[in-house]
Amino acid sequence: MVLSGNDKTNVKGVFSKIGGHAEEYGAEALERMFATYPQTKTYFPHFDVAPGSAQVKAHGKKVAAALVEAANHIDDIATALSKLSDLHAQKLRVDPVNFKLLGQCFLVVVAIHNPSVLTPEVHASLDKFLCAVGNVLTAKYR
Amino acid sequence: MVHWSAEEKQLIASLWGKVNVEECGAEALARLLIVYPWTQRFFSSFGNLSSPTAIIGNPKVRAHGKKVLTSFGEAVKNLDNIKATYSKLSELHCEKLHVDPENFRLLGDILIIVLASHFARDFTPACQFAWQKLVGVVAHALARKYH
C-alpha cells in the first residue's frame, strides 16, 4: 500500500482543516474506541477511562500530535515515528489489530465534525494514511 | 443468541427510523468500492467503476447499495433472530456470490462512517457501540453458513 501524491495532498488538507481541534479529536477518538471496543481498555488499567477523563484527554493530545507529525512528514512516516515505533515494539506491545480500531474511531470523529471534508476520495486517503501509521508503529514487533 | 440491552435496541431503532435507506445505502456501497478498491472484484458487471466520480454516479451501484441497506433493515427489525434472518443470504453469498466474509466487515465499518457523517453529534459513543455491534452481528450471520 502506497500513498499517492493525491493521498498526501488529501491528508495534509484534512489536518489543515482540523487545525487546532486535532487534540480534541484525538481525545474523542480514544473515548469512542473505549466505548465501542471495550477490549481496548485492557491496555489502560492505570487510567481512568470514563468519558471526560483528564488522562484520556491528555493521551488523546499525544495521539493527535503523533498523527499531525506523521502528516507533516508524510513522505517518510517511518523516520518521523521511529521512536514511537520502538516504544510500541519494546514496551507497549499493543496488538496490531487495535490500530485499525483506533483508526476507525478517528475516521468517525472526522466524519462527525467535518462531514463535508470527508468526501469518498479523502476518506480513502485518510484510511490509507491511518493504515500506514499503524504499519509503522507495528513494523518492529518481530 | 446475541444479547441486546434495552438501550442498545432503542439506539438502533431510533437511528434507523431517521435513515434514508436509498441515500445511505448508495453512499455506503460507493465508499466501499472507493476506499477498498479490491472490493470492485465482485461488480465487474456494473459498468464504469473507473473513478470515484464514476462510482458515485453509477446507477447500478446506487441500486445495489439501496438493496443491501434495505436488507440490513431486516436485521434491525429482527434483532433477536438475526442468524435465521440471514440464513439464506449467507448460503447465497457463499455458494453463488463467493464473497469473502471479510467484505461484510469492511462494509459494516463504512456504514458506521456514513452514519457518523449524517448524524454528527447524535451519533454518540453509545450509539456507535450499538451500531458497531450490529454490523458485527450481521457480518457474522452472513458468514455463518459458509462451508
Side-chain angles (χ1 to χ4, degrees), chain A residues 2 36 79 105-106 109 114:
Chain A
V2 169
T36 308
T79 303
C105 291
F106 189 78
V109 173
N114 297 276

Side-chain angles (χ1 to χ4, degrees), chain B residues 130-144:
Chain B
W131 274 86
Q132 198 78 58
K133 183 174 166 180
L134 177 60
V135 302
V137 168
V138 169
H140 183 85
L142 279 171
R144 199 161 164 272

Side-chain angles (χ1 to χ4, degrees), chain B residues 5-145:
Chain B
S5 73
E7 196 206 355
E8 286 162 7
K9 287 188 174 186
Q10 200 276 324
L11 285 168
I12 288 169
S14 83
L15 197 86
W16 184 250
K18 301 180 214 157
V19 167
N20 179 325
V21 172
E22 179 165 0
E23 283 308 315
C24 276
E27 192 181 341
L29 186 62
R31 280 183 187 256
L32 179 75
L33 299 174
I34 292 165
V35 177
Y36 307 116
W38 54 93
T39 58
Q40 293 170 24
R41 69 189 300 283
F42 301 109
F43 301 102
S44 51
S45 66
F46 273 31
N48 188 4
L49 299 178
S50 59
S51 70
T53 311
I55 291 170
I56 292 165
N58 185 311
K60 286 188 172 175
V61 170
R62 290 193 65 87
H64 196 67
K66 179 182 174 184
K67 188 175 180 188
V68 167
L69 201 60
T70 301
S71 162
F72 209 86
E74 291 303 302
V76 175
K77 283 204 293 251
N78 296 287
L79 288 176
D80 290 327
N81 208 0
I82 292 181
K83 275 199 293 237
T85 303
Y86 284 113
S87 180
K88 285 260 164 308
L89 266 180
S90 179
E91 287 169 7
L92 178 78
H93 280 77
C94 170
E95 292 159 15
K96 291 261 154 27
L97 304 178
H98 310 295
V99 177
D100 178 349
E102 178 60 21
N103 293 283
F104 309 140
R105 287 176 262 285
L106 292 179
L107 181 59
D109 280 354
I110 293 277
L111 180 60
I112 296 293
I113 306 284
V114 170
L115 293 176
S117 69
H118 282 254
F119 291 102
R121 280 191 174 77
D122 285 350
F123 198 64
T124 61
C127 201
Q128 184 180 351
F129 174 80
W131 274 86
Q132 198 78 58
K133 183 174 166 180
L134 177 60
V135 302
V137 168
V138 169
H140 183 85
L142 279 171
R144 199 161 164 272
K145 289 306 191 68

Side-chain angles (χ1 to χ4, degrees), chain A residues 11-32:
Chain A
V11 170
K12 284 180 184 290
V14 170
F15 279 92
S16 124
K17 293 228 174 59
I18 289 175
H21 292 287
E23 294 176 0
E24 291 159 37
Y25 286 22
E28 191 178 341
L30 282 177
E31 186 197 333
R32 283 179 179 271

